[in-house]
Amino acid sequence: MHLIRRNRILRQSPAIRAMVAETILRPSDFIAPLFIIEGAGVKEEISSMQGYYRMSIDLTVQEVKELWGLGIRSVLLFIKCKDELKDNAGTEALNPDGLMQRSIKAIKNACPDMVVMTDVALDPFSTYGHDGIVEGNEIVNDATVEVLAQMSISHARAGADFVAPSDMMDGRIAAIREALESKGLSKTGIMAYSAKYASCFYGPFRDALDSAPGFGDKKTYQMDYANRIEAIKEVLMDVEEGADIVMVKPAMAYLDIIREVRDRVDVPVSAYHVSGEYAMIKAAAQMGWLDENKAILESLTAIRRAGASLIATYFAKDAARMVVG
Ligand code: PBG
């Protein structure tokens, strides 16, 4: 055979493959989610997320320093609220001395350059486990948005660099931007969970924070996974309303959405490689059915290749070690 084009030439050695690789992972691509609980010296493994922990503030701070040392540049904070502090108004979410606010301060104190992002939604604080205020069977939009705006101010005042509204209420990005501006918090950014689908892959996360919805599901605010055009509508509106970074969530089953969003916006796109995606890899690896490290790198590279420049992932630390090592 005398072939004119031989594609295998570019695949024949690790050196050539490295030269022509189109997608490269860096530790600063990863956002490390952290689950924080009250107490001191407390580290609890999450049963459905083996190898992942809820930690008290002191241990979280140590973890953040370690992440920084590995080249990770941002963390996304979630707190587990005590049951007795939960209500239907998000009261504890606004407490200036609440666990979230104390966590932000402690992290910024210990590691000032780490970019601290905070989850903004009511579910960890809600007796109903819903992302908003409940009236009857309804998760009411406008009253919820007011609380989310106040919550964002509170996080920004505590030192958060970005607030990350994960609630999917309408109009919250504009309301949050406006609220931040009204208090002179003009440096605080917004990473919007813009195309967040109602997904079964959040199951383990809800175990982590004990935040599963008490009634119904989240389908009246999170998106239907059958929809693609709607994701573009959500993302474009969030950008118009002031989102600095938009997000698609989950990641692996939504690579088409990530790509399409990437092609349509002029802001950074992030993707959330969620708890259920973590759990699947962990479980299969534990059974000896998958090579864990290879599965991690392939998954994260695919998400990056689809168009996400940032990936929130529970594998942030493992991946950071692998991509520099
Ligand atoms: C809450 C929130 C959820 C996640 C991030 N923020 C759960 C939900 O919407 O029910 C999921 C993260 C994960 O599964 O890793 N607003």
Side-chain angles (χ1 to χ4, degrees), residues 31 74-78 115-120 161-167 172-173 176-177 180 188-194 238 242-248 268-272 310-312:
I31 300 170
S74 62
V75 291
L76 178 56
L77 310 187
F78 298 93
V115 177
V116 171
M117 302 180 157
T118 58
D119 186 60
V120 171
D161 299 290
F162 284 81
V163 291
S166 65
D167 54 286
R172 88 267 210 232
I173 303 303
I176 289 171
R177 185 72 262 156
L180 292 171
T188 311
I190 304 174
M191 178 169 75
Y193 287 64
S194 301
D238 281 358
D244 300 284
I245 302 171
V246 293
M247 185 195 277
V248 175
V269 175
S270 62
Y272 202 136
L310 291 165
I311 308 172

Side-chain angles (χ1 to χ4, degrees), residues 123 131 166 196 202 205-206 218 222 249 274-275 314:
D123 49 323
D131 290 31
S166 65
K196 176 172 178 180
Y202 308 150
F205 173 96
R206 294 173 188 170
K218 298 193 174 185
Q222 298 177 352
K249 177 183 178 186
V274 301
S275 57
Y314 303 98

Side-chain angles (χ1 to χ4, degrees), residues 93-94 119-122 125 146-156:
L94 306 183
D119 186 60
V120 171
L122 294 186
F125 305 96
E146 278 175 39
V147 182
L148 298 175
Q150 295 306 313
M151 198 174 166
S152 301
I153 290 172
S154 176
H155 292 183

Side-chain angles (χ1 to χ4, degrees), residues 199-230:
S199 170
C200 75
F201 292 109
Y202 308 150
F205 173 96
R206 294 173 188 170
D207 291 342
L209 297 187
D210 186 20
S211 62
F215 69 88
D217 51 39
K218 298 193 174 185
K219 289 180 181 171
T220 67
Y221 43 108
Q222 298 177 352
M223 284 179 50
D224 182 345
Y225 54 71
N227 294 355
R228 177 175 66 83
I229 297 164
E230 191 184 2

